[in-house]
Amino acid sequence: MCGIVGYIGKKNALQIILDGLQRLEYRGYDSAGVSIINDNKELITYKKKGKVSELAENIDINLFAGSVGIGHTRWATHGVPNDVNAHPQFDMDEKIALVHNGIIENYKTLKTMLQNEGYVFRSDTDTEVLTNLINYHYKSKKDLETAVRFALNEVDGTYGIACISSFEPDKIIAARKGSPLMLGIGIEEIIIGSDASAIINHTKNVIYLEDGEMCVLTKHGFQLKTIKDEDIFREIEEIEFDLQEIEKSGYDHFMLKEICEQPETIQNTYRGRINFETGVVKLGGLESIKDKIVNAKRIIITACGTSWHAGLIGEYLIEQMCRIPVEVDYASEFRYRDPVINEGDIMVVISQSGETADTLAALREAKKKGAVTVGLVNVVGSTIAREVDAGTYIHAGPEIGVASSKAFTSQVMSLILLALMIAGEKKTLSDDELKRIANDLKTLPEKIKKCVEAKDDYKFIADELKSASNFLYLGRGLNFPVALEGALKLKEISYIHAEGYPAAEMKHGPIALIDENMPVVIIAPKDKTYDKIISNIEEVKARKGKILAIASEEDNNINDYADFVIRVPKTFNLFAPIINNIPLQFLAYYIATARGCNVDQPRNLAKSVTVE
Ligand code: G6P
């Protein structure tokens, strides 16, 4: 949610900032801007409604020569996306430029105070209030760092900020509370980024800012402090991924690349964590609290969006395999309903980004109430990963496409590993069962590969169905969350209305919508619910609905019922959500591209939602 880049060093800042913004664009893309301290030590800014590419095409490179600067790509919270509301925002005197990710909650009170002092505002943003507040303090303190510190101590809400000023042209001040920010420490240069993708092609050495911290950067180095002015020492850490992992590598879209990567990413999730001879799972990150997890009286899973769907699958898996009661909560609801947390409760927090504000707030609430917390997170070093009591990274690698794909299957895989770990310890699965599961897991990447290789078949079906205005997705048991996720994917990237339902619930409402224009995607595995699913298909056909069935390879019957059939390799029940999800990702992708939608940057969405 909003991307921030800053550069201070010896090189031309503009190009580095524009490149960084391009890589961070998945965080928001309604407007973008840069401010540079030029070689005459003047503060100059260019900002624009629209994408980073439009900013880059229109900016006068010669005018923007300088080696100190900041940039921003925005996902609007306060004020419509337009040139004026784009960041950087300035103070009234246009001496201070600031980029901000987050929300200043008390901006109205501060704005009134500043207006009473004679400050005039141009934009509708909360950020402009912060710039004028810094200006206000600068007038008495005559020191930028102190002015920023005083201002930050007066704001409520969340921020990741970077600020430059012609008052003190050789520095950048950065700070964070609730919105991620990191520093890439290069040789005689420092790059600021909302995440590592803006930094990785310059250096792998990074420092993560923690909440309540600020940093003064100059060409000679940096000084880390709290916003209460206490010095901090922090070790430099190394980023684990490479540049090529965040590039498209010849694919039309990041999303397509990420869908196709799943035979490998799924292996990265379980590699070194399962003994294939015995089926015993060891999750190093959870060792310190393993006993607490195994003896949990209840497990609460919390997450948002796609991660919440993975959580629903986790509920089925853990209850079936470990016999521990599980509840799954939307993170945004959990925090506000005064949840009951008892001794022995474990909270599992699932998040791709590790920065989702609602999920983070739910985690903090659960910790406050005494729950032991476990993180299943993708982004290494993210806030959630650092705040949980223990965690296991899902290792899906950087996910750039805004609609989650490979992170979902790796989240499900991580939940399977968690369930296997508990079941092995609790003996709720026999040694034989564990071995058989491990054996089947060995074949999973190959089966996913087969699904990926069938992508042209999915494209054909997508072309047939692309004009529909509504879709229904149905599944039962473990495949019900898969139906929800399939529907969400289609909605997110093609803007077609789609709903996911447990198949048997169709007759309690959605059936009223079915007519010849309504495709129904139904997950129809050959398991104990198969006959029931066939009855659901008959109910749809009786109302002239079109059926697309996701069916097992060995199902010879399904063609008699369905208009379109996608066949997936046979697998153990617990791996079915992973296998069945892959064609649904492709279906959404191909329908969206056929409709001319920008799948990597769907309208109104952002990859990392750092506001509540
Ligand atoms: C946003 C993204 C979704 C994601 C959700 C939760 O809405 O667009 O793809 O599932 O946030 O994000 P998280 O990073 O916590 O998994």
Side-chain angles (χ1 to χ4, degrees), residues 266-281:
I266 214 76
Q267 290 182 71
N268 294 341
T269 306
Y270 66 67
R271 183 173 293 116
R273 290 168 161 176
I274 182 161
N275 179 330
F276 282 107
E277 302 298 309
T278 59
V280 170
V281 166

Side-chain angles (χ1 to χ4, degrees), residues 89-93 95-99 113-114 119 127-155 161-165 167 173 175 214:
Q89 287 290 315
F90 330 96
D91 61 321
M92 184 177 70
D93 303 325
K95 300 283 185 200
I96 298 165
L98 187 133
V99 288
M113 182 281 278
L114 289 162
Y119 282 84
T127 307
E128 189 183 10
V129 176
L130 183 53
T131 59
N132 277 323
L133 192 59
I134 296 171
N135 174 302
Y136 172 77
H137 288 296
Y138 190 83
K139 282 191 173 141
S140 57
K141 309 291 173 207
K142 298 282 179 250
D143 176 67
L144 189 62
E145 180 189 338
T146 314
V148 173
R149 174 172 308 112
F150 270 67
L152 292 181
N153 278 291
E154 283 171 25
V155 302
I161 59 158
C163 163
I164 55 176
S165 170
F167 288 136
I173 301 192
M214 59 188 284

Side-chain angles (χ1 to χ4, degrees), residues 303-308 350-356 359 384 399 401-404 411 488-489 492 605-609:
C304 299
T306 289
S307 302
W308 183 77
I350 308 176
S351 176
Q352 186 288 127
S353 62
E355 301 292 350
T356 302
T359 311
I384 292 174
E399 192 180 63
V402 165
S404 188
Q411 287 167 341
L488 176 66
K489 223 46 20 177
E492 281 180 309
L605 299 181
K607 181 87 188 144
S608 173
V609 182

Side-chain angles (χ1 to χ4, degrees), residues 500-513:
Y501 258 90
E505 277 294 300
M506 179 185 64
K507 52 190 174 294
H508 299 294
I511 198 163
L513 299 171

Side-chain angles (χ1 to χ4, degrees), residues 7-11 184-190 202-203 219:
Y7 177 83
I8 187 160
K10 294 192 163 165
K11 298 183 190 141
I185 314 296
I187 298 164
E188 297 192 89
E189 63 180 11
I190 301 175
H202 305 286
T203 177
K219 291 189 176 167

Side-chain angles (χ1 to χ4, degrees), residues 13 29 32 43 46 66 110 145 156 164 188 348 350 369 398 436 468 481 525 569 588 603 606:
Y29 30 83
L43 175 63
Y46 185 65
L110 293 168
E145 180 189 338
D156 297 331
I164 55 176
E188 297 192 89
V348 175
I350 308 176
K369 288 184 177 264
R436 278 196 287 126
R603 71 181 177 211

Side-chain angles (χ1 to χ4, degrees), residues 90-342:
F90 330 96
D91 61 321
M92 184 177 70
D93 303 325
E94 301 197 8
K95 300 283 185 200
I96 298 165
L98 187 133
V99 288
H100 170 217
N101 172 17
I103 294 178
I104 308 294
E105 282 165 6
N106 59 339
Y107 81 105
K108 282 197 177 137
T109 320
L110 293 168
K111 191 169 181 174
T112 310
M113 182 281 278
L114 289 162
Q115 280 166 331
N116 291 338
E117 293 288 330
Y119 282 84
V120 180
F121 291 82
R122 305 175 196 90
S123 78
D124 310 314
T125 65
D126 51 340
T127 307
E128 189 183 10
V129 176
L130 183 53
T131 59
N132 277 323
L133 192 59
I134 296 171
N135 174 302
Y136 172 77
H137 288 296
Y138 190 83
K139 282 191 173 141
S140 57
K141 309 291 173 207
K142 298 282 179 250
D143 176 67
L144 189 62
E145 180 189 338
T146 314
V148 173
R149 174 172 308 112
F150 270 67
L152 292 181
N153 278 291
E154 283 171 25
V155 302
D156 297 331
T158 56
Y159 52 80
I161 59 158
C163 163
I164 55 176
S165 170
S166 54
F167 288 136
E168 296 180 25
D170 296 320
K171 63 177 66 156
I172 304 181
I173 301 192
R176 108 159 235 183
K177 186 183 158 207
S179 300
L181 209 58
M182 62 204 294
L183 311 177
I185 314 296
I187 298 164
E188 297 192 89
E189 63 180 11
I190 301 175
I191 302 102
I192 301 168
S194 298
D195 69 43
S197 55
I199 293 175
I200 185 87
N201 55 339
H202 305 286
T203 177
K204 284 195 151 196
N205 296 329
V206 296
I207 286 195
Y208 295 94
L209 258 65
E210 304 273 357
D211 278 353
E213 292 181 357
M214 59 188 284
C215 191
V216 181
L217 316 171
T218 66
K219 291 189 176 167
H220 310 291
F222 66 95
Q223 200 182 4
L224 200 57
K225 291 186 170 182
T226 67
I227 62 164
K228 303 284 177 212
D229 205 16
E230 298 136 337
D231 287 330
I232 297 167
F233 173 77
R234 172 96 16 89
E235 295 280 352
I236 293 179
E237 297 179 43
E238 200 172 313
I239 302 173
E240 286 183 354
F241 60 89
D242 292 314
L243 188 58
Q244 72 185 49
E245 288 185 63
I246 54 166
E247 305 209 304
K248 278 195 211 148
S249 315
Y251 286 91
D252 288 345
H253 297 97
F254 280 111
M255 187 182 179
L256 182 60
K257 175 185 172 224
E258 287 156 6
I259 296 173
C260 293
E261 275 172 358
Q262 290 172 107
E264 294 86 47
T265 51
I266 214 76
Q267 290 182 71
N268 294 341
T269 306
Y270 66 67
R271 183 173 293 116
R273 290 168 161 176
I274 182 161
N275 179 330
F276 282 107
E277 302 298 309
T278 59
V280 170
V281 166
K282 186 170 171 187
L283 296 168
L286 302 186
E287 276 298 293
S288 60
I289 57 162
K290 188 168 87 181
D291 289 348
K292 288 186 181 151
I293 300 173
V294 169
N295 297 312
K297 297 218 168 57
R298 180 174 68 142
I299 293 180
I300 304 157
I301 301 180
T302 195
C304 299
T306 289
S307 302
W308 183 77
H309 293 156
L312 289 177
I313 294 172
E315 177 181 19
Y316 282 88
L317 291 169
I318 296 171
E319 290 203 337
Q320 267 175 27
M321 292 161 69
C322 317
R323 313 308 304 151
I324 299 175
V326 179
E327 277 173 31
V328 187
D329 254 302
Y330 279 116
S332 52
E333 290 297 315
F334 178 83
R335 182 184 175 196
Y336 291 106
R337 65 174 172 76
D338 195 14
V340 178
I341 302 277
N342 296 314

